[in-house]
Amino acid sequence: MWHLLHVTIHLCYFAINIANALESHLISKGLLRRYKSLHISKLQYLAIVIESEDCRTSNVIELLQWLADLGVKHVCLYDMEGILKKSKDFILEKFDGATLFQENDVLLDQPLMTLEFASFSDGKEAVAKAANVLFMKYLKSGSTSSYQGEQIFTESQMGEALKTVGGNGPEPDLLLVYGPARCHLGFPAWRIRYTEIQHMGPLKSMKYGSLIKAIYKFTMVQQNYGK
Amino acid sequence: MEKEVMSSLKMAGNILCSASSFIRKCIFGVLRVGPIPNHIAFIMDGNRRYAKKQKLSHDGAAGGGGRYDAGFWALMVMLLYCQELGVKYITAYAFSIDNFKRKPEEVESLMTSMLEKFHLLDILVKLLAVRVHYAGNLELLSNELRASAMELTEATAAYSKSVLTICIAYTSRDEILHAVRESCEQKRIDLEFGNDDDDEIKLMKVEKNMYMAVAPDPDIIIRTGGENRLSNFLLWQSCWSHLHSMWVLWPEIGVWNLVFAILNFQRNKTYCLDMKKKEKEL
């Protein structure tokens, strides 16, 4: 009975995937009017999370080319094991339209796309390193009063500490997950407070139309930020 | 004649309830053949939209916490279903630090409603043997609310059948900062008393000081209301969590929504387990 239930679910998802593939084809041909004009300026910073075993650089470069064609200016590429980080030079060499994102870069319109490479070590481990930076500040202050604590242990101080250890960057507006499951695979927690997260399926099955649809959906979102 | 009609309607209602209860038990029995999540977290979004739909008042004077009553009962129903399924840990995002930015009258009405609900929760969780834990910066709450929360935590500390964690005055960033601050304070004390064995603060120390250290990482995070973001909730703990978004508004969530979320979790369980193992290797 359990297997029957899962086979039924599997068949439903199969049908949904076929419908999505058809829609994606129509979008990429420009046949669906509402996807024709994207307010791409709303997307200041995009993060792409890729399953490490799926990290084919040819697919990554093609994806970056699609993003460049759509006008996306700042992209963070993340995979858990840091395979993309290791291939950074190769990717930048093969993909002409990008430079490496520098931590002091401000998110302005630039002629070339900026690329950031991140991995699991930029998440929790970076926070632990930043904790040590804040600890040294705390010891140097010489005071253990709660007031002193409140001055040191603030979000902005934490952000600065993370920058020092190389674990901070802009907060992405949108995070696209290319992998079998809808989870962010340890993308740095400090940076995804209000990030829209969308699951795109495996990288090898990526479609241009699906990318447009995901960005379009993001541009239609209204956030209250808790209000 | 009227009595007969009422009696028939009552009998029909009882039969329907029994039938739906039987169907639910059957479905849960089938679900339990596969892996059941150990921890489900809920982002309870959609209460205000539901209240607008139902035209519920938000005026505090008119018992304006009324708009959140349905949300409270939805949480209790989910708690019951999770217990029946064998889900041990349930976490609910009740109030974010960001929510303090709302209009003062709305915040006050929410706080009043929460205090009423804590008293009700006190009765319900003892009946269900649920341990209650509050995660968040409780110093931001009123004395009365904080005292009520602490009282309930102590009163239910011995229960172990289920653990309900209510995130109140909570954001992930605040949780991370709190954990870092506690770790620094403990290290300073260790240094002072010559107990310090480590050169530096380790990741494990930071994780032990998280508000959510009482529960394992969530297997599923369910967000109602149709949005696809975590809104500063369990960002640290959600590395391998299956993120499940549903269009239904929180007070309207039902058993089938939960069943569907668990079915999706079961589809991806092996992958998430593999990823958790990889984290340990990194």
Side-chain angles (χ1 to χ4, degrees), chain B residues 6-38:
Chain B
M6 288 307 295
S7 161
S8 307
L9 277 171
K10 209 175 171 182
M11 204 186 321
N14 286 341
I15 291 170
L16 271 171
C17 279
S18 305
S20 79
S21 174
F22 175 72
I23 292 170
R24 189 188 73 244
K25 283 180 166 58
C26 287
I27 292 288
F28 281 9
V30 171
L31 276 183
R32 274 195 290 268
V33 171
I36 293 294
N38 192 28

Side-chain angles (χ1 to χ4, degrees), chain B residues 196-209:
Chain B
D196 190 36
D197 292 330
D198 295 321
D199 290 333
E200 52 183 26
I201 296 171
K202 296 271 193 292
L203 176 59
M204 209 167 20
K205 186 84 159 189
V206 174
E207 292 200 301
K208 269 190 185 150
N209 285 313

Side-chain angles (χ1 to χ4, degrees), chain A residues 4 7 18 35 42 46 49 65 70 74 97 102 113 142 160 162 168 177 180 182 197 209 225 227:
Chain A
L4 187 62
V7 163
I18 291 181
Y35 298 106
K42 201 175 171 189
L46 173 68
V49 167
Q65 192 55 60
L70 289 171
H74 305 280
Q102 303 297 330
M113 183 191 280
E160 288 302 318
L162 280 167
N168 205 12
V177 179
R182 196 157 173 266
I197 300 172
Y225 300 100
K227 282 191 198 163

Side-chain angles (χ1 to χ4, degrees), chain A residues 13-14 27 29 34 45 65 86 89 94 96 105 109 114 118-119 122 124 127 135 150 153 156 164 180 185 212-213 226:
Chain A
Y13 272 112
F14 182 70
I27 293 170
K29 293 290 175 201
R34 68 173 163 163
Y45 204 84
Q65 192 55 60
K86 290 174 196 159
D89 292 334
K94 289 290 173 189
D96 291 332
D105 275 355
D109 264 348
T114 64
S119 66
D122 298 311
K124 292 183 177 182
V127 168
F135 178 65
E150 274 159 32
F153 299 103
S156 58
T164 313
L185 302 183
I212 293 176
K213 185 180 174 183

